[in-house]
Amino acid sequence: MRDRRAPCRRSPPARSNDRVIAMDTILVVNAGSSSVKFQIFAVDGDGRLQRQIKGQMDGIGSRPRLRASSADGGPLADRAYPIEGVADVSAALEVAGTWLRDELRINPIAVGHRVVHGGPDYERPVRIDHGVVARLERFAQLAPLHQPYNLAPIRSLLANRPDLPQVACFDTAFHRTHGALADHYAVPFQLYAEGVRRYGFHGLSYEYVAKALTQSAPGIANGRVIVAHLGSGASMCGLKEGRSVESTMGFTALDGLPMGTRPGQIDPGVLLYLISEKGMSATNVQSFLYRDCGLKGMSGISNDMRELEASDDPHAILAVEYFIHRIGLNAGMLAAALQGIDAFVFTAGIGENSASIRARIGEKLAWLGVKLDAAENIRHAPLISHPDSRIPVYVVPTDEELMIARHTLSLLMNSQPSSPSRERVS
């Protein structure tokens, strides 16, 4: 049943390439600094979601381009725009929204947004109002590559479409099931009370994987599972009974594994050295850590794992080996936190697509009893471990957008309030 307070506009069936595109629909938005990714999900009469459109507006401020396809990959749009026409994230969303509305006659009943940092206030998705936005703005410095851009389209829609329900879905929320030992730093409690704590990120991805395992591998879904979300942003999470017990990321999305441009775990003394000996300001250090480190910094070549794997440059080789080494170390940490391991899961861009990286990580995990099946790994099978492996190893494609659509529909149907919630994520 629908939220009676929420405007629920049924979009008339629209055709593109001789197919019906949408009925009641939910728009999912994932906004970054130079791109806005979006997806459209149709809602059927039984409240089930069906993906209809995947698209993005990228090259914002440089070479704006709208690309979109249907769920089966059929092209729907590929258009370039002048720079001045798409100067920022809000303008990009407006261009995409105009295309959806005017050409496909899609008028969503709600919009779900990925918001990276929910801070200590939000433990589950929430309906958005101006008060929510004001609270979320406080965490912009904790996720400078994401939070300001996540909030830009939200503000734009609040101003231009105040009647349109919006829902914020947080990358931190899934990890709020952590116990105190995983949640704290060894700093004075006052800082913890102010919000200095280990939040963890990529929660929408881990939540999706945890739910997917109940269908694809029910025998281990409630066990002790390590999930490796390996992409340009990378982290690992220890799950027990489908809930997050420990994560490699902490207060910000800088900690843990080395990433495309972020260093991962680093001695805080290095930061003091950059400030005291190199004369770097806090702003410069922040930019350095988020944009110039990780695989890009180590290799001096690229932040793209595909380029690094193809390179014979010694620095590129070292960067890849370091990435694999740190994953092995963190797997040991998570196994200790879980007091054992019943399964290992790869997900996200590198985890889903690089058989060679998975194979090398599998070798690092041999001490845990992991043994991959080379043929199954190469063909990217859902189960890539050898029958003799003590630990089953899975590849589970993540779907953060579907997770956001599910949360958005749930809040729309159940009339959840927009005030901060202290309930745990279900």
Side-chain angles (χ1 to χ4, degrees):
M1 131 177 209
R2 290 193 187 97
D3 178 358
R4 294 177 181 268
R5 299 175 302 169
C8 191
R9 297 166 296 279
R10 180 175 293 278
S11 303
R15 293 185 179 275
S16 177
N17 294 347
D18 297 324
R19 81 182 72 207
V20 174
I21 290 296
M23 298 177 293
D24 278 358
T25 55
I26 287 175
L27 170 63
V28 171
V29 175
N30 183 355
S33 60
S34 61
S35 70
V36 174
K37 298 178 182 178
F38 63 90
Q39 294 194 22
I40 292 288
F41 290 84
V43 185
D44 69 15
D46 296 321
R48 291 173 300 208
L49 293 162
Q50 180 180 2
R51 197 185 327 268
Q52 298 287 327
I53 296 172
K54 297 176 67 174
Q56 69 178 50
M57 173 70 77
D58 53 25
I60 298 171
S62 57
R63 296 180 178 179
R65 194 171 198 92
L66 172 66
R67 296 181 175 89
S69 62
S70 59
D72 61 7
L76 295 175
D78 188 352
R79 303 175 184 178
Y81 294 83
I83 296 176
E84 60 273 14
V86 191
D88 55 26
V89 168
S90 296
L93 183 61
E94 179 60 29
V95 169
T98 299
W99 172 72
L100 289 168
R101 181 179 62 251
D102 292 353
E103 299 191 31
L104 300 184
R105 291 192 291 163
I106 291 175
N107 193 19
I109 60 174
V111 183
H113 298 266
R114 178 196 179 204
V115 178
V116 166
H117 215 306
D121 292 341
Y122 297 105
E123 299 183 345
R124 61 182 301 160
V126 294
R127 286 278 294 270
I128 297 169
D129 58 23
H130 289 285
V132 170
V133 173
R135 283 187 285 272
L136 294 177
E137 286 173 341
R138 294 180 299 163
F139 311 121
Q141 289 303 307
L142 305 186
L145 293 188
H146 303 92
Q147 196 87 346
Y149 309 105
N150 298 158
L151 298 181
I154 292 174
R155 290 195 203 91
S156 179
L157 287 172
L158 279 174
N160 298 313
R161 294 289 306 277
D163 62 322
L164 181 62
Q166 298 188 75
V167 173
C169 301
F170 306 103
D171 264 343
T172 50
F174 184 65
H175 301 294
R176 298 303 301 277
T177 54
H178 285 180
L181 296 180
D183 206 30
H184 280 254
Y185 288 107
V187 296
F189 185 80
Q190 179 58 35
L191 287 173
Y192 177 84
E194 294 171 7
V196 179
R197 59 188 72 179
R198 299 186 68 249
Y199 292 102
F201 296 86
H202 295 134
L204 290 164
S205 176
Y206 293 125
E207 184 179 10
Y208 177 83
V209 170
K211 292 183 183 299
L213 287 175
T214 63
Q215 300 298 317
S216 62
I220 59 94
N222 287 322
R224 299 163 298 179
V225 181
I226 295 176
V227 184
H229 176 106
L230 307 180
S232 180
S235 68
M236 297 168 68
C237 177
L239 302 177
K240 189 174 184 179
E241 298 181 349
R243 293 177 176 267
S244 176
V245 171
E246 182 64 90
S247 171
T248 59
M249 280 184 167
F251 183 53
T252 70
L254 285 170
D255 201 7
L257 304 180
M259 291 163 262
T261 61
R262 288 169 271 172
Q265 183 180 12
I266 189 169
D267 184 339
V270 175
L271 313 186
L272 298 176
Y273 174 82
L274 294 176
I275 293 169
S276 64
E277 300 298 322
K278 294 295 185 180
M280 294 176 69
S281 67
T283 300
N284 289 339
V285 170
Q286 182 185 75
S287 178
F288 173 73
L289 292 175
Y290 277 100
R291 302 178 188 278
D292 298 324
C293 294
L295 300 177
K296 175 185 174 183
M298 284 195 78
S299 69
I301 295 174
S302 175
N303 65 336
D304 191 320
M305 180 60 77
R306 292 166 295 189
E307 293 183 34
L308 299 181
E309 283 195 271
S311 175
D312 59 2
D313 184 284
H315 296 292
I317 293 170
L318 176 63
V320 175
E321 290 179 346
Y322 182 78
F323 180 75
I324 293 164
H325 173 66
R326 300 305 300 188
I327 291 169
L329 291 180
N330 280 273
M333 177 194 76
L334 292 174
L338 294 170
Q339 291 293 284
I341 174 175
D342 299 312
F344 191 95
V345 176
F346 289 100
T347 194
I350 298 171
E352 294 170 25
N353 297 300
S354 179
S356 61
I357 293 294
R358 290 196 302 258
R360 294 173 68 179
I361 293 171
E363 292 172 359
K364 287 282 185 183
L365 303 181
W367 68 277
L368 286 170
V370 167
K371 181 179 180 182
L372 297 192
D373 184 310
E376 295 297 277
N377 183 42
I378 289 172
R379 76 179 189 90
H380 307 290
L383 178 64
I384 61 172
S385 50
H386 192 275
D388 293 339
S389 180
R390 291 206 309 271
I391 305 297
V393 181
Y394 296 87
V395 178
V396 179
T398 193
D399 198 337
E400 295 157 299
E401 290 78 13
L402 178 57
M403 205 70 245
I404 293 169
R406 287 173 178 170
H407 284 308
T408 302
L409 181 61
S410 177
L411 263 69
L412 200 64
M413 295 173 68
N414 294 302
S415 306
Q416 293 288 351
S418 61
S419 57
S421 170
R422 295 298 172 185
E423 297 179 29
R424 294 296 184 185
V425 179
S426 60

